[in-house]
Amino acid sequence: MKYRLVEIFASLQGEGRNSGRQCVFVRLAGCNLKCPWCDTDIAPRFSISLEELLSEIESLRHKSVVLTGGEPTMAEGMAELVAALKERGYWIAVETNATCGFDDAPWLEFVDYIAASPKAELGTVPIKLDRADEVRVVASMPKTVDFCRKVRKMIVATDYYVSPCDRGGAIDWAAAKDALKELGDWSLSVQLHKILGFR
Ligand code: SF4
């Protein structure tokens, strides 16, 4: 099989607890949600084998890898990829919209860090992930606070963050600030990469 990818690049993690960490980002194509404000390119641009992917990652010279999307839990071959990265000593994080649980994607047990970012625009798609290292909710709707409270009951995590919504470059800090005031012990995910002009 081949991995359907959008891009592979090196950058700083801009969100959550690992902000500032230098990582290789592997963006898997495809997503099961259609968030109206989504600015992520999720269409496949190329397909490569496991060996080619590992070689690309190695060439970028960081020992941390972020598997992102799109929605990486929907991609094929993830168990093999995670096993191969572990064998080579990489620290692995995954960014997921939380609609797949450990039963659907058992390889999640073997990554080092799970950042769950459930979306208020889920519609009828259920949240199935019940634990993560951090949870990040985008302040994209007037009912963000209600959604955050619901998510907190569904996903056990160490840290909970509100991220400002980015609508085509217009970052809505005010909505994030308002949500944080009501939520009390949630933190702001500042999106460091955007502030510093990293991709
Ligand atoms: S879950 Fe993420 S990648 Fe998928 S549509 Fe929503 S914002 Fe875009």
Side-chain angles (χ1 to χ4, degrees):
M1 58 119 343
K2 296 223 170 190
Y3 293 86
R4 293 165 68 240
L5 298 182
V6 180
E7 56 185 348
I8 307 170
F9 62 98
S11 187
L12 295 182
Q13 173 57 271
E15 299 208 57
R17 202 197 308 164
N18 293 304
S19 287
R21 188 171 189 140
Q22 297 201 80
C23 301
V24 176
F25 290 79
V26 177
R27 189 179 304 290
L28 282 303
C31 186
N32 55 341
L33 299 184
K34 286 195 173 88
C35 306
W37 42 267
C38 178
D39 61 355
T40 308
D41 193 356
I42 59 170
R45 290 207 192 133
F46 60 102
S47 297
I48 58 176
S49 68
L50 178 60
E51 290 67 32
E52 290 165 331
L53 177 50
L54 292 169
S55 155
E56 286 285 328
I57 291 169
E58 196 184 348
S59 72
L60 293 169
R61 298 184 302 125
H62 298 316
K63 288 308 280 182
S64 300
V65 175
V66 180
L67 305 172
T68 189
E71 179 45 46
T73 60
M74 311 291 292
E76 282 180 52
M78 296 305 283
E80 292 80 358
L81 175 58
V82 166
L85 289 171
K86 276 277 123 205
E87 234 175 71
R88 288 160 179 76
Y90 286 96
W91 178 91
I92 309 167
V94 63
E95 298 184 325
T96 171
N97 63 23
T99 57
C100 281
F102 288 87
D103 289 348
D104 307 303
W107 55 269
L108 286 171
E109 295 283 4
F110 304 103
V111 304
D112 299 284
Y113 198 86
I114 300 177
S117 187
K119 304 298 187 294
E121 295 81 358
L122 281 164
T124 55
V125 184
I127 291 175
K128 288 166 108 184
L129 193 69
D130 59 1
R131 62 191 149 91
D133 293 282
E134 71 181 41
V135 166
R136 301 194 302 250
V137 172
V138 178
S140 60
M141 291 180 111
K143 292 192 171 168
T144 294
V145 170
D146 293 345
F147 183 68
C148 287
R149 289 187 175 129
K150 181 175 141 190
V151 163
R152 185 150 193 159
K153 286 184 192 147
M154 298 177 83
I155 308 177
V156 175
T158 309
D159 295 302
Y160 293 84
Y161 294 90
V162 171
S163 304
C165 189
D166 182 348
R167 292 185 169 87
I171 298 180
D172 189 352
W173 294 104
K177 201 171 134 197
D178 289 348
L180 283 167
K181 270 191 205 156
E182 281 198 57
L183 288 164
D185 63 346
W186 287 52
S187 303
L188 177 69
S189 181
V190 292
Q191 299 189 311
L192 188 69
H193 54 302
K194 291 185 183 171
I195 293 168
L196 296 179
F198 282 79
R199 59 183 307 199

